[in-house]
Amino acid sequence: MPVAFWLLRLAIRLLGLVSPALAGRWVYRLWFQPLRYPEPPQEQEWRRTAQPLAVVHRGQALAVDSWGTGPVVLMVHGWNGRGAQLGAFAPMLVRAGFRVVTFDTPAHGRSPGRATNLPEISEAIHAVARACGPVHAVIGHSFGVACAIYAVQHGLKVNRIVAISPPDSLRGLTRKFFTALDVAPPVQEVFNRTIETHYGADLWQRFSTEVLARQLDVPGLVIHDQNDRDVPIEEGVAVARAWPGAQFVRTIGLGHRRILRDPDVIARVAAFIAS
């Protein structure tokens, strides 16, 4: 881990010993602040072949890229990610006759903002969908799956959903967050009370991918890797089981991100979307 991250963990731990309330509110603010990582050369190359699309969300321009023509396939990246992370899907889908659209969600990549949340990202998905026309299918990765399904449950019309490496619950995400930052139980309690105050005590159900999947009437394909260390495969299995009629594909050795560049995964996704 970078030295700065170790120092952050230490600062949270020390503040938690003195004032769990202050530490809990600090951790709460950090929860909504994604990290921006440098864009690797391959993603830059994918973007150079794309056409930018003008989309304004809450008064600010989102970074949106588009390839090809035809029925729209909208791709949604995960937390701390970028739209171009899913760029490997574009060539095959374009050859199959689709228009592929991806974007950097608020506070991610080249889009403005310092903090965001699931409902805001869902709103941004709706804004991009309005700008590019009817959406035939949506591909989500990791946290982007939760945002995409939430958008569908709130009015986004699609014919297919592909969920790659989906988390099953908000509880699970917060537990991983607490573990990464070494957050003490008293500080966790303050965090939980604070988030329930702002979003309602039922947010654990309203924002749960597994719970939302139970209500879907859209054909789904869930793909998850056996060796995913960021989101265990059991979470993807839980989402697929909850989703009426969903297909589940298990991969091996691709982890949480290489799965987005695997030729067999891309071919399977393209076939499902075209079916």
Side-chain angles (χ1 to χ4, degrees):
M1 293 182 185
V3 173
F5 193 78
W6 281 109
L7 293 175
L8 176 62
R9 284 164 55 108
L10 178 60
I12 292 171
R13 169 64 69 176
L14 293 176
L15 182 58
L17 293 174
V18 176
S19 174
L22 287 176
R25 289 195 289 272
W26 185 18
V27 171
Y28 173 78
R29 290 193 298 273
L30 290 173
W31 169 256
F32 298 101
Q33 298 175 9
L35 302 174
R36 298 181 196 256
Y37 293 99
E39 189 177 51
Q42 180 60 76
E43 293 181 22
Q44 296 176 26
E45 182 62 30
W46 284 326
R47 284 203 301 105
R48 276 194 286 270
T49 65
Q51 295 293 323
L53 182 64
V55 179
V56 176
H57 169 66
R58 295 189 177 184
Q60 295 183 306
L62 294 172
V64 186
D65 294 309
S66 173
W67 297 265
T69 59
V72 173
V73 177
L74 178 59
M75 305 192 296
V76 185
H77 66 79
W79 194 257
N80 296 332
R82 302 163 301 278
Q85 283 183 312
L86 289 89
F89 288 93
M92 183 173 288
L93 288 169
V94 169
R95 289 195 298 271
F98 294 99
R99 181 187 185 191
V100 180
V101 178
T102 190
F103 71 107
D104 297 346
T105 60
H108 286 79
R110 294 168 293 130
S111 290
R114 293 188 58 199
T116 190
N117 54 51
L118 188 151
E120 182 186 16
I121 294 174
S122 172
E123 291 176 12
I125 291 171
H126 279 274
V128 175
R130 287 193 296 270
C132 64
V135 176
H136 169 66
V138 61
I139 303 172
H141 175 236
S142 194
F143 185 70
V145 175
C147 298
I149 291 179
Y150 188 85
V152 169
Q153 295 289 31
H154 288 76
L156 179 67
K157 303 298 183 183
V158 300
N159 301 315
R160 297 284 187 277
I161 302 174
V162 177
I164 302 174
S165 313
D168 63 353
S169 68
L170 184 60
R171 287 282 190 193
L173 290 173
T174 58
R175 283 195 295 269
K176 296 182 187 76
F177 184 65
F178 295 151
T179 298
L181 291 178
D182 192 25
V183 179
V187 179
Q188 296 180 27
E189 293 175 8
V190 174
F191 174 98
N192 290 334
R193 288 199 302 270
T194 304
I195 199 169
E196 288 178 1
T197 298
H198 285 89
Y199 291 92
D202 65 340
L203 85 161
W204 310 107
Q205 288 74 43
R206 284 190 293 114
F207 299 150
S208 163
T209 312
E210 181 180 359
V211 172
L212 290 169
R214 293 176 191 154
Q215 308 162 35
L216 287 171
D217 59 358
V218 179
L221 172 65
V222 181
I223 306 178
H224 214 122
D225 191 77
Q226 180 71 45
N227 306 111
D228 192 326
R229 293 189 294 179
D230 292 52
V231 181
I233 191 172
E234 291 78 13
E235 300 193 32
V237 170
V239 172
R241 286 176 176 168
W243 191 336
Q247 303 175 36
F248 180 78
V249 174
R250 180 191 305 261
T251 63
I252 299 175
L254 298 177
H256 192 65
R257 293 171 185 83
R258 290 195 308 277
I259 196 171
L260 299 176
R261 303 186 298 273
D262 181 75
D264 290 338
V265 169
I266 293 169
R268 185 68 178 259
V269 169
F272 173 75
I273 288 175
S275 65

